Amino acid sequence: MTDRRLEYPATLRNRDAILDVLRGVLPASGLVLEIASGSGEHIVHFARAFPGLTFQPSDPEEAALQSIQAWTLDSGLANVRPPVMLDALSERWPVTAANAVLCINMIHIAPWRATEGLFHGAAKLLPGGAPLYLYGPYRRAGVVTAPSNEAFDASLKARNEEWGLRDLEIVADLARSVGFSGPVVTEMPANNLSVVFRRV
Ligand SMILES: C[S@@+](CC[C@H](N)C(=O)[O-])C[C@H]1O[C@@H](n2cnc3c(N)ncnc32)[C@H](O)[C@@H]1O
């Protein structure tokens, strides 16, 4: 049988730093929905570390769904649900309630509408106090963007003019407008940020 597991090299470099932050963010029990799970390597790593939580992976791409399923089966973990097809742009998500939402490395590799969809969708399904965790590179007012992030931004825009690093302040404005407090920001390796919003 063909091995459908995708391997994203960045995951091995960032998953433990992300896990450290998640230890202070995720609830002790409940359902964690991941948007844009990609290969599925992150969610399997997190599910192993948090056996008291149930994880719901998702992605809009068929190849990603197959990879997530393959990594989940390979892991033998019982606390990862089968992946669901979920496009953040969609009005109706196939998940209607969760206790936390994660979204790693998506908002700069999708049109701004996807970020709007992410916040609107997450606001509908999270209860008061629940976290929306984002990870990735950002621009920040008053902070010089690292040359590596400037180059990354240019390469993203060359691939798709609607892609590119987002301004953290603009993301925070969007978050407030749909009912989130925050952000609580943690600087991460390689000029990335962990950004946590909480449903008001
Ligand atoms: C760079 S990959 C990141 C995958 C994974 N989170 C990681 O960090 O390894 C970007 C992911 O965003 C997903 N994506 C793009 N547009 C999306 C949208 N509108 N809604 C949900 N996911 C989207 C892609 O299918 C892809 O899996």
Side-chain angles (χ1 to χ4, degrees), residues 6 8 10-11 14 18 34-42 58-62 64 68 86-90 93 103-111 113-115 118 135 152 159 163:
L6 302 171
Y8 293 171
T11 309
N14 62 30
I18 295 173
E34 186 181 36
I35 307 297
S37 297
S39 66
E41 293 164 279
H42 278 130
S58 74
D59 204 276
E61 296 291 333
E62 184 57 40
I68 298 161
L86 191 161
D87 188 328
L89 289 168
S90 165
W93 288 10
C103 185
I104 298 171
N105 282 330
M106 182 202 80
I107 71 170
H108 53 286
I109 310 184
R113 300 188 300 286
T115 308
L118 169 68
Y135 170 93
F152 186 41
R159 285 167 69 189
W163 296 3

Side-chain angles (χ1 to χ4, degrees), residues 6-7 10 28 37 41 44 57 70 76-77 94 99 103 108 121 132 141 143-144 149 152 160 164-165 168 175 198-199:
L6 302 171
E7 289 186 48
S37 297
E41 293 164 279
V44 165
L77 290 164
N99 302 95
C103 185
H108 53 286
L132 168 56
V143 179
V144 176
N149 276 352
F152 186 41
N160 185 321
L165 265 59
L168 182 57
R198 286 194 184 266
R199 187 77 172 93

Side-chain angles (χ1 to χ4, degrees), residues 69-191:
Q69 181 75 3
W71 276 109
T72 304
L73 288 176
D74 177 74
S75 74
L77 290 164
N79 62 333
V80 184
R81 289 188 179 168
V84 289
M85 187 167 280
L86 191 161
D87 188 328
L89 289 168
S90 165
E91 283 284 312
R92 291 163 71 93
W93 288 10
V95 178
T96 53
N99 302 95
V101 173
L102 312 179
C103 185
I104 298 171
N105 282 330
M106 182 202 80
I107 71 170
H108 53 286
I109 310 184
W112 174 247
R113 300 188 300 286
T115 308
E116 294 176 324
L118 169 68
F119 277 90
H120 280 100
K124 278 191 220 159
L125 54 79
L126 290 174
L132 168 56
Y133 170 93
L134 276 70
Y135 170 93
Y138 289 84
R139 292 184 183 284
R140 298 168 85 182
V143 179
V144 176
T145 307
S148 57
N149 276 352
E150 289 291 0
F152 186 41
D153 183 56
S155 74
L156 288 168
K157 290 190 169 113
R159 285 167 69 189
N160 185 321
E161 62 187 17
E162 291 192 276
W163 296 3
L165 265 59
R166 306 298 173 199
D167 274 304
L168 182 57
E169 291 71 23
I170 294 176
V171 176
D173 285 346
L174 167 64
R176 264 188 296 278
S177 74
V178 299
F180 284 93
S181 65
V184 174
V185 175
T186 307
E187 297 198 0
M188 306 293 281
N191 301 304

